[in-house]
Amino acid sequence: MLSGGERARLALAKLLLQPINLMVLDEPTNDLDTTTLGALETLLVDNNVTALIVTHDRYFLDRVCTSLLAFDDDKQVSRYNDYQVYKEERALRERLNKPGKSPQRKVENDFKNKKALTYAERIELDALFEKIEQAEKKVAELEVELADPDFYATRAEQVPQKSKELEEAKAQAANLLARWEHLEAKQV
C-alpha cells in the first residue's frame, strides 16, 4: 500500500531505531523529503555515526562529513578534511599538467593574486551561518504549510502567495549559501 518513497522512509526509520556503527548511503538526498533528511543529518552528527556517503549534494556533505574521499580520473583516492582544499589542489594539478605557460610562474601568480578576507568579510562570514539556518528554517516552514491538505481546503486563495514566498525563500537561502561558499573559499 505504500509508495516507493514511503517504503524507503519507513525502512530508514526502522534502521535508525537500532544502534548503528556504520551506515552506507547512496544519494540519500534524492529520495528523502526535507524533514526526513533533517532527521538523518541530526542522527549522523549527534550520534557520531560513521557513514560512507555517496552524493553530489555539497550542502549535505558540508553539514555531516568530517572527511572526504575523492576519486580522481587517474583512479587515485585521496582523503581531505575540506572540499575546497580538494578542489583547489585538483585545479592546481590540472594547470600543472597543461602544456603552455610555465607551471611554476602560474602557481606563483595564483598565490600572489589570492586575497585574504577583509575584516568586514570575516564579520559577514561569522553571521552567515545563522542567516542560512534561519532561511532554511523559513523554507522548511513554508514547505510544511504548503504540504498540509487543510491549507488548500481552508485557505486556497493564499496558495499563490505562499508559493511565491517559498520560491523567494529558497532563492534567498541559495544566495546566502553561495556567499558563504565564496567567503569560505577565499579564507582557505
Side-chain angles (χ1 to χ4, degrees), residues 105-119:
R105 171 82 59 189
K106 180 67 176 159
V107 171
E108 288 172 5
N109 287 340
D110 284 350
F111 286 111
K112 283 182 190 174
N113 293 334
K114 189 168 187 174
K115 305 260 190 227
L117 289 176
T118 65
Y119 178 73

Side-chain angles (χ1 to χ4, degrees), residues 82-125:
D82 186 359
Y83 180 77
Q84 285 303 124
V85 172
Y86 159 71
K87 197 169 160 184
E88 289 172 5
E89 283 185 20
R90 184 174 179 187
L92 180 61
R93 272 184 294 184
E94 288 175 1
R95 282 194 299 253
L96 291 174
N97 291 334
K98 283 186 182 177
K101 292 183 180 179
S102 165
Q104 186 61 32
R105 171 82 59 189
K106 180 67 176 159
V107 171
E108 288 172 5
N109 287 340
D110 284 350
F111 286 111
K112 283 182 190 174
N113 293 334
K114 189 168 187 174
K115 305 260 190 227
L117 289 176
T118 65
Y119 178 73
E121 287 174 328
R122 282 194 303 262
I123 291 173
E124 180 185 3
L125 181 60

Side-chain angles (χ1 to χ4, degrees), residues 103-167:
Q104 186 61 32
R105 171 82 59 189
K106 180 67 176 159
V107 171
E108 288 172 5
N109 287 340
D110 284 350
F111 286 111
K112 283 182 190 174
N113 293 334
K114 189 168 187 174
K115 305 260 190 227
L117 289 176
T118 65
Y119 178 73
E121 287 174 328
R122 282 194 303 262
I123 291 173
E124 180 185 3
L125 181 60
D126 291 340
L128 268 176
F129 189 71
E130 187 175 322
K131 288 180 182 178
I132 291 170
E133 283 185 338
Q134 290 171 351
E136 289 174 343
K137 184 178 178 184
K138 184 175 181 179
V139 168
E141 288 171 356
L142 288 168
E143 285 177 339
V144 167
E145 191 173 4
L146 284 170
D148 183 13
D150 291 336
F151 178 76
Y152 292 91
T154 58
R155 300 181 294 172
E157 69 281 352
Q158 293 180 1
V159 171
Q161 177 190 355
K162 289 292 181 182
S163 296
K164 184 179 178 187
E165 283 180 36
L166 176 61
E167 293 307 313

